[in-house]
Amino acid sequence: MENVTTAKVKLPSGPSMPRVGLGVWQMPRGVTRDAVLSALRAGYRHIDTARIYGNEAEVGAAVRESGIPRDEIFVTTKLWNDDQGYDSALRAFDASMKRLGLDHVDLYLIHWPVQHKRRDSWRALEKLRAGGRVRSIGVSNFMVSHLEELLADANERPDVNQIEIHPFMQQREPRAFCKKHGIVVQAYSPLVRGHRLDHPEIRKVARRMDRTPAQVLLRWGLQHDLVVLPKSADPGRQKENAAIFDFALDADAMSSLDALEEGQATGWDPRTQR
């Protein structure tokens, strides 16, 4: 049976990425290092950070201190808006690598589709991958129009598109586009930032399955072929979020959760970005 360590999806460019990762957005300095270490002890092998999160250095320190071989841990970081453009993206990557203290990054993403700069940023990412310091490249918060523009003149398609997805924000159109073009979709905020864990339908499914609401939400994501990135610094919650491979939601449960669509983003809304 698969578990949080072994469950992986193969990316189009070749590497395999764990289907559950630890998100560290808004984890403060002084907390992130211990949170990443506890997650790695719990079996996580996928850590998702970004320059704008301000905790790349702690993520890198935890990876180095874990004692786990580097090639067994999948590390993602991202290019922030202020650094977009060809030359500035290359410089930003060097700065991220210095903070991480690692010899390579497994996945580097354009964090946001900044108009007039995202094409040059993508050329920089293609160069970084060709140089071997990045194993895979991708995007985040790209909607269909952004992806169509990128694919029109890119030499390489993105391996990944990371977007907000949960039953209340299902992103069906970009998910369908990514599936058609072989782009793996990662779901950030898969637990709706904790705001809807008490929703009656989610609690009903959780009671029937004898699982927690968080486990139900994450399992829903897995069964929609998503890579899920739950965030928690609490070791107990990390273990809870990882324990989603020994059960499955039945058709009735999936249907009831699919019916919760509201189209409401809990954070950034890239649908408004030209």
Side-chain angles (χ1 to χ4, degrees), residues 17 74-77 105-109 134 136-138 160 186:
M17 176 172 62
F74 192 98
V75 177
T76 300
T77 194
V105 168
D106 297 280
L107 178 63
Y108 196 47
L109 304 179
V134 179
S136 297
I137 54 177
V160 168
Q186 292 181 331

Side-chain angles (χ1 to χ4, degrees), residues 31-78:
V31 171
T32 303
R33 174 183 163 278
D34 288 343
V36 173
L37 281 170
S38 67
L40 293 172
R41 285 193 290 268
Y44 289 71
R45 294 295 181 267
H46 181 176
I47 310 297
D48 181 271
T49 186
R51 190 277 274 180
I52 196 63
Y53 299 173
N55 53 24
E56 287 174 312
E58 292 194 46
V59 168
V63 170
R64 295 192 306 272
E65 294 170 24
S66 69
I68 299 168
R70 174 66 186 91
D71 62 3
E72 294 181 15
I73 304 176
F74 192 98
V75 177
T76 300
T77 194
K78 309 180 191 76

Side-chain angles (χ1 to χ4, degrees), residues 3-270:
N3 56 45
V4 69
T5 303
T6 62
K8 297 180 180 181
V9 59
K10 192 171 182 63
L11 297 178
S13 64
S16 293
M17 176 172 62
R19 295 196 64 200
V20 178
L22 178 74
V24 298
W25 178 65
Q26 288 191 330
M27 276 192 193
R29 295 174 184 174
V31 171
T32 303
R33 174 183 163 278
D34 288 343
V36 173
L37 281 170
S38 67
L40 293 172
R41 285 193 290 268
Y44 289 71
R45 294 295 181 267
H46 181 176
I47 310 297
D48 181 271
T49 186
R51 190 277 274 180
I52 196 63
Y53 299 173
N55 53 24
E56 287 174 312
E58 292 194 46
V59 168
V63 170
R64 295 192 306 272
E65 294 170 24
S66 69
I68 299 168
R70 174 66 186 91
D71 62 3
E72 294 181 15
I73 304 176
F74 192 98
V75 177
T76 300
T77 194
K78 309 180 191 76
L79 173 70
W80 183 238
N81 301 356
D82 296 344
D83 298 320
Q84 289 208 34
Y86 184 78
D87 292 331
S88 54
L90 296 175
R91 290 192 297 269
F93 177 78
D94 286 340
S96 283
M97 291 295 290
K98 184 176 181 179
R99 288 187 292 269
L100 285 163
L102 304 175
D103 61 358
H104 72 275
V105 168
D106 297 280
L107 178 63
Y108 196 47
L109 304 179
I110 297 177
H111 209 151
W112 186 262
V114 176
Q115 193 175 21
H116 307 308
K117 292 187 176 182
R118 53 191 179 240
R119 290 185 179 183
D120 287 339
S121 297
W122 186 251
R123 288 196 302 113
L125 265 63
E126 290 178 329
K127 178 180 175 65
L128 289 168
R129 184 176 179 276
R133 298 173 71 199
V134 179
R135 292 185 174 176
S136 297
I137 54 177
V139 296
S140 180
N141 295 299
F142 273 50
M143 298 290 97
V144 170
S145 62
H146 310 131
L147 292 166
E148 287 176 334
E149 177 193 273
L150 186 153
L151 293 177
D153 62 2
N155 292 316
E156 297 182 47
R157 66 184 178 188
D159 276 344
V160 168
N161 186 19
Q162 184 182 125
I163 50 181
E164 179 179 353
I165 304 178
H166 43 72
F168 305 96
M169 177 69 166
Q170 297 183 28
Q171 304 274 28
R172 293 176 183 176
E173 186 179 5
R175 280 168 46 206
F177 184 93
C178 288
K179 183 176 182 179
K180 177 181 178 181
H181 291 276
I183 300 169
V184 174
V185 178
Q186 292 181 331
Y188 73 74
S189 298
L191 301 180
V192 207
R193 301 193 188 186
H195 297 323
R196 308 298 287 274
L197 294 178
D198 60 350
H199 188 280
E201 193 60 37
I202 294 172
R203 294 182 68 84
K204 178 182 175 182
V205 172
R207 285 194 300 269
R208 185 163 67 82
M209 302 299 298
D210 193 26
R211 296 286 171 163
T212 67
Q215 289 172 327
V216 166
L217 288 173
L218 295 174
R219 186 68 208 183
W220 175 88
L222 289 186
Q223 290 182 216
H224 275 299
D225 296 324
L226 304 172
V227 172
V228 293
L229 302 171
K231 170 201 166 186
S232 179
D234 179 83
R237 291 284 177 82
Q238 290 175 350
K239 291 178 182 177
E240 173 189 326
N241 293 341
I244 55 175
F245 293 95
D246 60 347
F247 77 104
L249 299 176
D250 58 25
D252 287 343
M254 291 296 289
S255 178
S256 67
L257 296 176
D258 288 346
L260 298 178
E261 172 69 86
E262 297 177 357
Q264 183 63 51
T266 65
W268 304 335
D269 191 348

